[in-house]
Amino acid sequence: LHADDAAVTRAALAELLREPGGQRELRVRARQAGGGWRTLHVIAENLAGDPAVGAVVVNARDVTHQVAIEA
């Protein structure tokens, strides 16, 4: 993660862990293999209390091009 996004991401995930069934959406930057940055739309859901899942599920979608168009 980009250094500017790390603290906010940590705080959101820590808060989410205290909220069974909760969900958080974030927009973060992540380094790509070539050294540049991609913007990701992340949705995390606390399903730790669901016996079929037992975890926090995180889905991320690359929205770099969308962000560039919006700018």
Side-chain angles (χ1 to χ4, degrees):
L1 287 180
H2 191 281
D4 292 344
D5 299 335
V8 171
T9 302
R10 269 193 301 276
L13 291 176
E15 187 177 286
L16 179 63
L17 288 172
R18 293 187 298 271
E19 186 182 333
Q23 184 176 342
R24 296 292 181 278
E25 289 190 45
L26 301 164
R27 188 174 274 189
V28 299
R29 290 162 289 176
R31 186 177 300 279
Q32 67 183 30
W37 293 95
R38 307 300 292 179
T39 302
L40 305 176
H41 176 243
V42 178
I43 301 173
E45 188 170 1
N46 184 346
L47 298 176
D50 182 336
V53 181
V56 172
V57 177
V58 179
N59 290 292
R61 181 172 56 105
D62 186 338
V63 294
T64 304
H65 293 294
Q66 179 182 344
V67 170
I69 291 169
E70 293 171 354

